Amino acid sequence: MKNKKTFGQWVTSYTGQKYLTTFLFLLIPLVLLVVFTFIPAINMVIFSFQSRDQFGITVEWVGLQNYKTVFDTSADYLITFKNSIYYMIGSAFQLGFALLLATILCSKIKFKGLFKGVLFFPYLMNGVAVSLIFRRFFQMGDGIVTQNGTLNTIITSLGGEAIPFLSNPNIANFCLVFASMWKYMGFDILMFIGAIQSISQDVYEASDLDGVNPWQRFKYIVFPSIKSIISLQLILSIKGAVSVFDIPYIITGGKFGTNTFVIKTIETGFVFKKFGLASAMAVVLLMIIIVVTIIQKVLFKEDSDYVPKRRRYFRDKEVAK
Amino acid sequence: MKAKRVLALSLALALTFSVAGVMTGCGKDGKTGKDGKKVTLEVLTQRTDLDQNGTLAKVTKAFEDANNCTVKYISYTNYADDVSTRMGTNDFGDVLMIPDSVKLEELSNFFEPLDTYTNASTKWDCVDSKMYEDQVYGYPTALNIAGGIVYNKTVFENAGITKMPTTPDEFIADLKLIAEKCEGVIPLYTNFAAAWPLAQWQGLVCSASGDSSYETNILKDKSTLFEEGNAYYTVYKMMYDVLSDKTLREPDPSSTDWDGSKVALAKGQIGTLVLGSWGVAQIREEAVKNNLDPDTIGYMVMPSNVDGKQYAQISADYCMGVNKNSTQKELAKKFVEWYCADSGIATSEMAICAVKGSEKPAFMEGVNTFINEATPEEYQGVFNKIDKESEIGTWDTDVANFKIKMCEAAFANKGESEFESIIKDVNTKWEASRKEIMGE
């Protein structure tokens, strides 16, 4: 029989200290999470069933009306997802480039670390900074108030005529996608490098003995090993594409056909003071992202199941010992 | 044992810090402590420029001395949004500029009534701007011409323009003259990238109508916004025509710079900017900064006429109100009266003080100005409600706004039919929301 410990004793004991420390360490992040994420998120869901403005003086419960408005195809809400397609296509190209660069960086070249650092750097930069850089990059000057940006300076110095990149609805989206690719490519490269480097050296050696060329090596060894990472990145890029915001908002303000769903949500809330409707839009976006995440989980179940099984095997063996 | 020691140590530390805090606190307050309890009035303002260059503090010295109080200004660059967020709590200063995000019918939830309209209207002009059901919640800090065109007189002279335009066609013809005769001058700068300057075109609408109850009449007559030849149509058709001609505006509307455009207008590199008359003071200031003659900056009203007469509507700038939760309401009310009537800030900004019979700045001489009639009670806040509900946003510049769509269509030179289809869309939305809110 153990003696019943008092609370004071328990706290000073090893287990007590362990729990206390864990609790104290978790307390601050949990409080922050609850206060700044969960409570606002719950409020947002509640607001989405109301007709209300920012101040919430007159609040009216409207049931599913806000959701009906969002999904009303004659209104301008859902259509703003259209531009996400540009970003999705862009991210497919981005993955291709990233894979190419990652493969190169994994081969025997000089200054590997430097290149990795340079390529990863844009990802570390704030989205606002990246947007400002590209706003300047694509700018076309009038020679009086504003001067030509980097790209137009090059074009004019080569004898071409300056192009208003951001004021042409046919080009503007591509410029924004380019900025987005530039920012996020570094992350993809890093993921790919990680995946490629996890391929066992033995496999390469064996293939060398069989006399494979680099293309065969990529096709039969590298690609199958990193397939799951590629699909993961593709799905992550869908999430990014539906919720794209900072780059178009700062570079073009959503004008010239570069509007996105999140910009529309902000305007619905803060320009037209329809907080209920804006909350419903945010919930719809959240739902889309949850669905995509579920798809991702389902698709990758096979792979993730595979690994634990093997681990279980080893664990069992260990236990048996 | 150990825990106790830790506890004791932390307590001791906490005590040390708080004692230190109290002592340094005393040190700071020591100087003002002499003259007893001095109340502090917190004032929220959008004028970051006047706050930072010390003008506000200098002017307010007189009020502080007379009332034995301290006035603390807090200025916001993004005033309306930041203060609206702050108004989610009860702590939003003692005195503040009333943001337009507060609906008229909800004013009483945030602000202390200052006076009845019947009373206030004998002393103030445009005092109906923040009133609901005969209660006035804020006095205008200044009055301005809502919309007009700031221009550079030298540019007009060089282009050989001697007579100010009185119709949109004459205005466009003048801009074309500038484009032809003045090398390297942009006739009209849109400031499209910043978006808000486009809302300045809306300021021209009431002036173009020459009607002091224009918005009320739209509601009363159950008419739509755009009808061929009416004020909305005239103003925005003029905008569309100007912007459709790419020699009359900047080459890339996505690359504009507001601060740069003020300097360029002062220097005569830009011919005209569409702005409320509040812009005159700012551009003259730029001229002085660049050692140029501020008198080259001119201001013309909307180039259109009603029966041969040109009008300019005078409207209120931000109105100043008193927080309902303030602990010093009497002093706060006194401050509002002083700021709006006696501080002289409006006059120094080349605007009109809201007290009846105040002097007009020189550039408004000879202009037919009028002030809008107070909205009858049954129509108070209705225009705004329809405007927001339909998401037309007459004063807004959101991405899907009709002004932005018109500009984009004009930049792409899509022609007359596109303009017609945009205004048709606005009219349909207006009709639908008006019926929903006002009934048939």
Side-chain angles (χ1 to χ4, degrees):
Chain A
M1 273 277 286
K2 275 183 186 169
N3 286 336
K4 217 169 181 212
K5 283 181 187 168
T6 62
F7 181 69
Q9 275 173 326
W10 180 78
V11 165
T12 49
S13 73
Y14 175 70
T15 358
Q17 291 276 303
K18 200 168 74 182
Y19 283 113
L20 189 69
T21 320
T22 318
F23 173 74
L24 285 178
F25 266 110
L26 281 178
L27 186 68
I28 292 170
L30 276 179
V31 166
L32 289 177
L33 199 64
V34 169
V35 171
F36 292 108
T37 307
F38 290 131
I39 295 176
I42 292 165
N43 271 335
M44 181 180 81
V45 175
I46 296 170
F47 289 174
S48 71
F49 298 105
Q50 295 172 336
S51 163
R52 58 157 26 233
D53 69 357
Q54 190 170 6
F55 303 116
I57 300 282
T58 42
V59 173
E60 197 189 323
W61 290 88
V62 292
L64 289 172
Q65 187 53 49
N66 287 330
Y67 289 94
K68 279 182 196 156
T69 314
V70 175
F71 286 108
D72 180 1
T73 43
S74 65
D76 314 327
Y77 301 106
L78 226 44
I79 190 96
T80 45
F81 273 123
K82 183 186 70 186
N83 284 336
S84 297
I85 297 167
Y86 286 96
Y87 293 88
M88 282 182 208
I89 295 170
S91 47
F93 280 102
Q94 175 188 326
L95 284 179
F97 279 126
L99 193 54
L100 184 72
L101 288 169
T103 323
I104 294 172
L105 284 174
C106 282
S107 61
K108 288 183 184 106
I109 52 161
K110 279 182 181 172
F111 307 119
K112 225 186 266 186
L114 178 77
F115 284 123
K116 269 188 222 171
V118 168
L119 286 167
F120 187 62
F121 180 67
Y123 183 72
L124 297 176
M125 260 202 274
N126 188 300
V128 177
V130 172
S131 311
L132 289 175
I133 290 171
F134 276 95
R135 194 163 122 178
R136 193 85 187 93
F137 181 77
F138 288 118
Q139 184 168 298
M140 171 182 159
D142 46 36
I144 297 168
V145 182
T146 52
Q147 303 304 324
N148 273 341
T150 319
L151 194 53
N152 273 322
T153 311
I154 296 171
I155 292 175
T156 46
S157 67
L158 291 178
E161 210 167 289
I163 302 165
F165 289 101
L166 301 174
S167 303
N168 187 335
N170 301 323
I171 313 176
N173 269 315
F174 293 105
C175 297
L176 299 183
V177 171
F178 181 78
S180 162
M181 283 167 65
W182 185 82
K183 175 166 161 42
Y184 292 101
M185 185 130 72
F187 181 65
D188 289 347
I189 292 175
L190 216 68
M191 294 289 279
F192 288 142
I193 289 178
I196 293 172
Q197 280 176 346
S198 72
I199 300 169
S200 166
Q201 211 59 41
D202 305 349
V203 187
Y204 287 128
E205 274 169 29
S207 65
D208 278 345
L209 288 178
D210 289 338
V212 294
N213 62 27
W215 168 242
Q216 283 171 326
R217 176 193 287 193
F218 177 79
K219 194 177 168 192
Y220 296 109
I221 300 174
V222 178
F223 187 70
S225 318
I226 61 168
K227 220 162 66 182
S228 58
I229 291 288
I230 295 178
S231 349
L232 179 73
Q233 294 296 81
L234 262 177
I235 282 180
L236 284 179
S237 71
I238 295 176
K239 283 189 204 171
V242 289
S243 55
V244 60
F245 169 66
D246 49 1
I247 288 175
Y249 192 68
I250 293 165
I251 300 183
T252 58
K255 295 188 279 271
F256 295 108
T258 58
N259 202 2
T260 71
F261 189 73
V262 182
I263 296 179
K264 184 77 185 168
T265 308
I266 287 193
E267 285 180 344
T268 309
F270 292 98
V271 176
F272 298 112
K273 314 290 170 201
K274 297 179 178 174
F275 255 52
L277 184 56
S279 298
M281 291 170 82
V283 171
V284 168
L285 186 65
L286 184 68
M287 288 302 156
I288 292 173
I289 288 174
I290 288 176
V291 167
V292 173
T293 312
I294 291 172
I295 293 173
Q296 173 200 333
K297 292 280 175 209
V298 170
L299 279 182
F300 292 102
K301 213 177 170 187
E302 290 164 34
D303 292 355
S304 53
D305 265 2
Y306 178 66
V307 179
K309 241 185 235 162
R310 253 168 83 186
R311 274 203 202 123
R312 212 177 300 143
Y313 169 73
F314 284 116
R315 195 191 56 201
D316 292 347
K317 247 174 123 180
E318 204 130 323
V319 170
K321 255 194 234 166
Chain B
M1 245 350 241
K2 213 176 180 185
K4 254 187 199 167
R5 237 181 279 157
V6 171
L7 195 74
L9 189 69
S10 47
L11 264 176
L13 270 175
L15 271 174
T16 325
F17 278 121
S18 53
V19 167
V22 168
M23 281 164 81
T24 49
C26 279
K28 258 184 219 161
D29 292 342
K31 279 174 213 159
T32 47
K34 255 183 272 166
D35 20 50
K37 288 171 238 145
K38 224 178 187 186
V39 280
T40 307
L41 214 56
E42 196 179 311
V43 182
L44 312 186
T45 173
Q46 88 284 15
R47 294 308 298 260
T48 39
D49 51 341
L50 295 186
D51 185 24
Q52 277 157 13
N53 69 18
T55 314
L56 284 179
K58 215 190 310 164
V59 175
T60 315
K61 190 86 181 40
F63 180 82
E64 287 176 328
D65 290 345
N67 295 283
N68 192 29
C69 66
T70 322
V71 178
K72 191 173 137 212
Y73 286 98
I74 301 176
S75 56
Y76 294 88
T77 318
N78 197 1
Y79 184 80
D81 288 343
D82 291 356
V83 170
S84 300
T85 308
R86 220 180 136 173
M87 285 171 70
T89 69
N90 286 339
D91 171 30
F92 48 96
D94 296 300
V95 174
L96 67 156
M97 308 291 179
I98 302 178
D100 287 333
S101 51
V102 185
K103 292 173 191 155
L104 295 183
E105 60 267 33
E106 290 178 357
L107 281 171
S108 61
N109 294 295
F110 300 98
F111 299 100
E112 192 65 16
L114 300 179
D115 206 344
T116 59
Y117 177 70
T118 334
N119 249 337
S121 57
T122 55
K123 182 183 174 187
W124 306 88
D125 274 332
C126 285
V127 77
D128 57 310
S129 152
K130 292 293 170 203
M131 87 163 174
Y132 192 69
E133 292 178 342
D134 203 47
Q135 288 293 333
V136 172
Y137 295 92
Y139 297 142
T141 49
L143 305 181
N144 287 304
I145 294 180
I149 294 150
V150 188
Y151 69 100
N152 189 303
K153 287 178 188 167
T154 323
V155 172
F156 270 55
E157 263 167 42
N158 292 345
I161 301 160
T162 45
K163 184 179 151 291
M164 281 296 119
T166 55
T167 64
D169 289 339
E170 283 177 33
F171 179 63
I172 294 169
D174 287 347
L175 291 182
K176 278 182 179 154
L177 267 179
I178 297 174
E180 269 168 38
K181 297 202 177 157
C182 306
E183 184 73 28
V185 174
I186 302 172
L188 185 140
Y189 198 76
T190 61
N191 268 314
F192 183 79
W196 66 262
L198 296 172
Q200 297 295 313
W201 289 81
Q202 179 65 23
L204 300 171
V205 170
C206 270
S207 298
S209 74
D211 179 354
S212 59
S213 328
Y214 187 58
E215 287 185 354
T216 313
N217 284 340
I218 288 179
L219 298 176
K220 236 184 231 172
D221 303 343
K222 296 183 177 172
S223 54
T224 52
L225 287 187
F226 285 91
E227 272 164 25
E228 182 134 15
N230 80 352
Y232 272 92
Y233 190 94
T234 315
V235 169
Y236 287 107
K237 186 74 176 50
M238 181 169 100
M239 173 169 104
Y240 195 80
D241 289 345
V242 172
L243 302 191
S244 291
D245 187 339
K246 69 169 188 259
T247 60
L248 303 185
R249 42 129 177 126
E250 69 271 21
D252 180 13
S254 280
S255 317
T256 62
D257 171 29
W258 157 246
D259 284 312
S261 73
K262 289 196 287 188
V263 183
L265 180 69
K267 285 184 180 166
Q269 293 166 327
I270 284 177
T272 57
L273 281 176
V274 175
L275 284 179
S277 68
W278 55 265
V280 177
Q282 292 197 16
I283 292 161
R284 284 176 67 103
E285 197 183 313
E286 292 298 334
V288 174
K289 264 189 218 164
N290 289 285
N291 295 323
L292 298 159
D293 180 14
D295 287 329
T296 53
I297 309 300
Y299 194 72
M300 67 169 121
V301 297
M302 168 69 193
S304 70
N305 59 77
V306 182
D307 303 326
K309 233 175 154 188
Q310 268 177 293
Y311 293 94
Q313 179 223 353
I314 297 235
S315 69
D317 199 330
Y318 264 115
C319 289
M320 203 178 226
V322 173
N323 182 351
K324 199 182 146 197
N325 309 299
S326 165
T327 47
Q328 310 138 48
K329 286 177 191 161
E330 287 317 307
L331 183 66
K333 280 182 190 172
K334 217 169 167 183
F335 178 80
V336 172
E337 281 234 34
W338 170 82
Y339 188 94
C340 299
D342 307 320
S343 70
I345 290 172
T347 324
S348 68
E349 290 289 299
M350 306 200 72
I352 314 167
C353 173
V355 176
K356 269 187 195 300
S358 293
E359 210 179 314
K360 282 180 193 169
F363 72 87
M364 288 189 204
E365 290 296 319
V367 176
N368 282 318
T369 55
F370 69 88
I371 289 171
N372 273 3
E373 303 278 336
T375 319
E377 232 164 80
E378 54 172 319
Y379 293 116
Q380 276 171 10
V382 177
F383 191 92
N384 189 39
K385 204 171 173 187
I386 300 176
D387 187 47
K388 294 286 182 195
E389 189 54 43
S390 60
E391 298 194 7
I392 290 173
T394 49
W395 281 97
D396 298 319
T397 48
D398 56 298
V399 173
N401 196 283
F402 67 97
K403 293 184 224 50
I404 303 287
K405 279 188 191 159
M406 280 175 188
C407 290
E408 286 173 1
F411 295 145
N413 212 351
K414 286 196 177 156
E416 200 88 353
S417 60
E418 186 65 21
F419 178 77
E420 296 296 332
S421 93
I422 292 169
I423 64 173
K424 206 177 135 200
D425 182 46
V426 172
N427 283 344
T428 323
K429 282 184 181 167
W430 179 267
E431 273 305 293
S433 293
R434 185 181 57 77
K435 278 181 187 155
E436 204 182 299
I437 288 161
M438 295 175 68
E440 281 305 308

